[in-house]
Amino acid sequence: MFRFRIVPMFAALLVSAALTASVAQAHCQVPCGIYGDQLRFQQMLEDEHTISKAQISVNELAGQSLDAQGHNQLTRWITTKEEHAQRIQDTIAAYFLAQRIKPDSANYTETLTAAHQVIIQAMKCKQSADPETAKALEKSIFQLYRAYEGKEPTFEHSH
């Protein structure tokens, strides 16, 4: 009887740990001032670059007759693409939408619309292996930067 009580408690503990782990990757939401906007944009662009590389690799592998190792590599590229798209969505939600984009800012609607577009483009990258979706994601990240900062990006990013 004792064992049966432990199993549900253990399962609940595992679910709780999994939920906590996914939240821990996001910004802590304490106004600490440690995190910088510029770095968030650069990280999103790095994630986009990884998505682009993954999509190209998925397309290269998809046209081949794959052995077990090839299937493993294809799966890993797809997983990588998904994870990096999710990271971008998490950054927008936990950092920009929850903390940085303020309703009283002069260009609130434009910035909010641009942030939403990044989330949509990241979702499309999850749904597709078409490299054009990564290009659209990159474009939307730069558009968010323009709306959020009110200026052209000053950092380099290329594929």
Side-chain angles (χ1 to χ4, degrees), residues 96-108:
F96 286 102
L97 294 178
Q99 298 180 68
R100 304 299 292 162
I101 299 174
K102 307 291 185 193
D104 59 352
S105 66
N107 59 345
Y108 176 68

Side-chain angles (χ1 to χ4, degrees), residues 55 117 119-129 133:
Q55 288 174 328
Q117 195 57 227
I119 291 171
I120 290 170
Q121 295 306 323
M123 175 195 65
K124 288 182 179 183
C125 286
K126 288 181 182 182
Q127 296 171 339
S128 176
T133 61

Side-chain angles (χ1 to χ4, degrees), residues 44-54 88 134 157-159:
M44 287 191 297
L45 288 168
E46 184 176 280
D47 287 329
E48 176 277 322
H49 186 72
T50 302
I51 291 166
S52 177
K53 184 174 182 175
I88 291 171
H157 176 73
S158 62
H159 288 244

Side-chain angles (χ1 to χ4, degrees), residues 12-73:
L13 189 59
L14 283 176
V15 169
S16 176
L19 291 174
T20 304
S22 66
V23 171
Q25 292 177 0
H27 186 266
C28 62
Q29 298 188 6
V30 174
C32 59
I34 294 171
Y35 293 86
D37 298 339
Q38 188 78 14
L39 183 56
R40 299 297 78 94
F41 282 104
Q42 290 171 330
Q43 287 175 333
M44 287 191 297
L45 288 168
E46 184 176 280
D47 287 329
E48 176 277 322
H49 186 72
T50 302
I51 291 166
S52 177
K53 184 174 182 175
Q55 288 174 328
I56 291 166
S57 297
V58 165
N59 285 309
E60 288 172 355
L61 289 169
Q64 300 176 14
S65 177
L66 299 176
D67 60 2
Q69 181 63 31
H71 283 288
N72 181 53
Q73 192 59 37

Side-chain angles (χ1 to χ4, degrees), residues 65-155:
S65 177
L66 299 176
D67 60 2
Q69 181 63 31
H71 283 288
N72 181 53
Q73 192 59 37
L74 177 63
T75 301
R76 292 181 72 210
W77 276 119
I78 292 168
T79 301
T80 297
K81 175 180 71 83
E82 302 277 325
E83 288 172 351
H84 285 270
Q86 187 63 51
R87 283 177 51 169
I88 291 171
Q89 290 177 321
D90 292 345
T91 298
I92 295 295
Y95 183 75
F96 286 102
L97 294 178
Q99 298 180 68
R100 304 299 292 162
I101 299 174
K102 307 291 185 193
D104 59 352
S105 66
N107 59 345
Y108 176 68
T109 302
E110 179 185 359
T111 306
L112 193 59
T113 302
H116 185 241
Q117 195 57 227
V118 173
I119 291 171
I120 290 170
Q121 295 306 323
M123 175 195 65
K124 288 182 179 183
C125 286
K126 288 181 182 182
Q127 296 171 339
S128 176
D130 182 356
E132 290 302 313
T133 61
K135 290 178 185 175
L137 175 59
E138 178 186 45
K139 183 179 176 182
S140 70
I141 293 168
F142 279 115
Q143 188 58 36
L144 173 59
Y145 184 90
R146 290 180 191 98
Y148 181 79
E149 292 288 344
K151 62 183 181 181
E152 288 296 314
T154 57
F155 47 87

